[in-house]
Amino acid sequence: MNRNLDENIKNIIDSIKKSKNVFLASHINPDGDNLGSMLGLAIAIKNIGKNVFVLKSDIIPNDFTFLPGIDLIKEYDDNLGNIDLFITLDCSDKERLGDNKKLIENSNRVANIDHHLSNTNFGDINIVDPAASATAEIVYYIIKDMEIELTQDIALNLYTAINTDTGSFKYDNVTSKTHRIVADLLDTGFDKNLVNINLYESMSFTRMKLFIKSLTTLETFNNSKIAVIMVTQDMLKETGATLEDAEGIVSFIKKLSTVEGACLLKEIEKNNIKISLRTKKYLDASEICGKFDGGGHKRAAGCTIYKTIEESKKMIVQSIYEAMQV
Amino acid sequence: MNRNLDENIKNIIDSIKKSKNVFLASHINPDGDNLGSMLGLAIAIKNIGKNVFVLKSDIIPNDFTFLPGIDLIKEYDDNLGNIDLFITLDCSDKERLGDNKKLIENSNRVANIDHHLSNTNFGDINIVDPAASATAEIVYYIIKDMEIELTQDIALNLYTAINTDTGSFKYDNVTSKTHRIVADLLDTGFDKNLVNINLYESMSFTRMKLFIKSLTTLETFNNSKIAVIMVTQDMLKETGATLEDAEGIVSFIKKLSTVEGACLLKEIEKNNIKISLRTKKYLDASEICGKFDGGGHKRAAGCTIYKTIEESKKMIVQSIYEAMQV
């Protein structure tokens, strides 16, 4: 970490020590990193005797109910007391906080801990490290520098956070630092297998059914460099699944050796098709989705096309094809 | 590592230093750990000026042709010279060496490096550490203790080995040591993404087709605690796939949250059904397969039933069901 980050870590530690009531929140549509980094830090601060309030920003997916401290998460209430310090985790901007955004105005101090390059530095203290694979990496350094004991509960949360934000240590963002942190976490002796079963072997039956059904729609184009798959309203009815159950399907078809662009079309309704695009080595997914007023990252982006699913498919395939000709 | 292992590592280092011609071989049905640990060690020993011969034990799967040094692998030939030292990697017993087994008699010294508990200690020097997640972990310590520079080519091979033998750092066998070794490997700066694309995003189209087709046969029993899937000769004909392409399917259905026992039935021929069983938390897979004269590990085992695929399915499901009643 650079010197500026070190300085800001000192500032947040100082702030935590001075505070009686510490509030923590993360973003809407919770994932492993926001829940894990938030709960890991919350338990650590609680363990040094502070009043800790972990605020609910959204419904918590069933996948994460195994996390220690998950029952600490509560809706905000005006009677909870003075907000000496409000720590936001994994939130690139205020809007991502959902309803808890309003607390920023009511807090004595706001500390913004995140690893998104796009972070707007909205806090009084900003600890933003885009080189971190997950916000949990930064939380690890804070806990270590504060000399708070790394308990199994804290370690399990941080491990879950890093594991999910790196696709089990596969993604670009993983560094040697990531693995060294994980080694320290494992040294606490928490049950790593419990985490891996919960994260990777807890698929619901309806989701599996949707997965199988959508896979049968697999089509490829341009010498199998483009792979397309669909999830229709009919499939959801047949399987009893929801659109959220489509998570992971597009990554699966990207496994094909020939594929550079993998695309999932989700039928929200008849003329409203949500598209997820993943690219492997060279195609800029955000540029392609940008043509349909969408956006995202270089290797993962999305957009919506207001046509039927068949028309939308033709349009997105044509756009990917054109991007491949450059 | 315990003192005995340290002692044996000293012995092998001493042997390597004294040898002019070093031969290396690994097991038949090559996987990421045997190829990666063998090539990593071969490159290291070559880099200190020894004559190194990497022997082919079997056909090398296409998945691994990206490994640096893969072209070093050659068939054994009587004209290659005196075998001062023969190093076997990841081989639990001599038989696993295939045709290269015969070289054991012709070698001045045999060093047996492995992480299988079942290793028969057939070498003059035996470095067997069942606590290592992969044979590559042991190779890492040998290279480090010999003070051979850890190059990118060596690191990429050892990383591939550890990655494949741990299911991308998910399995039981992963320890904090594993992650610390991987951190050191990543510090060399090799292209980790290349490895991950080659390992996890290089599925052939025929394999994907077989995967999809077999998934449509998914059946569950005993409140979805048992999941069964089939690969028939008809499916192979329709998709153009081979039985090897069925790799990974059984792990996929084990992802179902309710599943304790996941079972794949492969039709070798009409009355010859090969069964792969995976269990999640408590069932002893090797015990169940043992009833059909098969075997394996607690969580992964196999057997063959000489009945039709439908009859075999009934028999294995019944056995799993009975094991669940205990």
Side-chain angles (χ1 to χ4, degrees), chain A residues 159 163 167-180 182-184 186-187 192-193 196-197 200-206 208 211-212 215-216 218-220 224 251-259 280-281, chain B residues 159 163 167-180 182-184 186-187 192-193 196-197 200-206 208 211-212 215-216 218-220 224 251-259 280-281:
Chain A
Y159 175 84
N163 192 321
S168 195
F169 313 105
K170 281 195 200 85
Y171 299 165
D172 261 24
N173 57 7
V174 172
T175 64
S176 55
K177 268 187 195 170
T178 315
H179 282 282
R180 287 199 179 94
V182 169
D184 281 356
L186 290 182
D187 277 336
K192 163 177 62 69
N193 298 316
N196 280 298
I197 288 176
Y200 301 107
E201 299 189 329
S202 295
M203 201 179 198
S204 72
F205 206 69
T206 48
M208 176 69 87
F211 208 100
I212 296 171
L215 277 180
T216 62
L218 175 65
E219 277 182 280
T220 59
S224 302
S251 307
F252 188 79
I253 60 165
K254 193 175 147 234
K255 283 178 185 286
L256 273 169
S257 60
T258 53
V259 164
K280 201 181 271 176
K281 291 178 186 168
Chain B
Y159 175 84
N163 192 321
S168 194
F169 313 106
K170 280 194 202 87
Y171 298 166
D172 260 23
N173 57 7
V174 172
T175 64
S176 55
K177 267 188 196 170
T178 315
H179 281 281
R180 287 199 179 94
V182 169
D184 281 356
L186 290 182
D187 276 336
K192 162 178 63 70
N193 298 314
N196 280 299
I197 287 176
Y200 301 107
E201 299 190 328
S202 296
M203 201 179 198
S204 73
F205 206 70
T206 46
M208 176 71 86
F211 208 101
I212 296 172
L215 277 180
T216 62
L218 175 65
E219 278 182 280
T220 59
S224 303
S251 307
F252 188 79
I253 61 165
K254 195 178 144 229
K255 283 176 185 287
L256 273 169
S257 60
T258 52
V259 164
K280 201 181 271 176
K281 291 178 186 168

Side-chain angles (χ1 to χ4, degrees), chain A residues 107-155:
Chain A
S107 305
N108 287 345
R109 207 131 208 237
V110 176
N112 159 26
I113 308 175
D114 187 27
H115 72 129
H116 292 95
L117 188 63
S118 57
N119 192 288
T120 59
N121 290 305
F122 58 85
D124 301 309
I125 305 168
N126 298 292
I127 312 176
V128 179
D129 184 7
S133 72
T135 296
E137 280 198 22
I138 310 169
V139 169
Y140 166 85
Y141 287 116
I142 295 170
I143 292 173
K144 220 181 139 186
D145 285 0
M146 275 192 89
E147 296 177 3
I148 300 176
E149 192 200 344
L150 197 64
T151 64
Q152 292 194 358
D153 284 355
I154 297 170

Side-chain angles (χ1 to χ4, degrees), chain A residues 206-270:
Chain A
T206 48
R207 201 174 141 210
M208 176 69 87
K209 279 190 212 157
L210 180 68
F211 208 100
I212 296 171
K213 204 158 266 301
S214 72
L215 277 180
T216 62
T217 69
L218 175 65
E219 277 182 280
T220 59
F221 303 90
N222 197 18
N223 297 319
S224 302
K225 282 186 242 171
I226 306 170
V228 181
I229 210 153
M230 299 197 279
V231 167
T232 64
Q233 283 296 325
D234 282 348
M235 287 180 198
L236 297 181
K237 264 174 229 151
E238 278 176 64
T239 57
T242 63
L243 280 168
E244 284 68 43
D245 289 318
E247 175 77 34
I249 301 181
V250 68
S251 307
F252 188 79
I253 60 165
K254 193 175 147 234
K255 283 178 185 286
L256 273 169
S257 60
T258 53
V259 164
E260 172 59 31
C263 186
L264 168 69
L265 293 106
K266 288 188 283 190
E267 188 180 41
I268 311 297
E269 49 188 45
K270 195 173 177 278

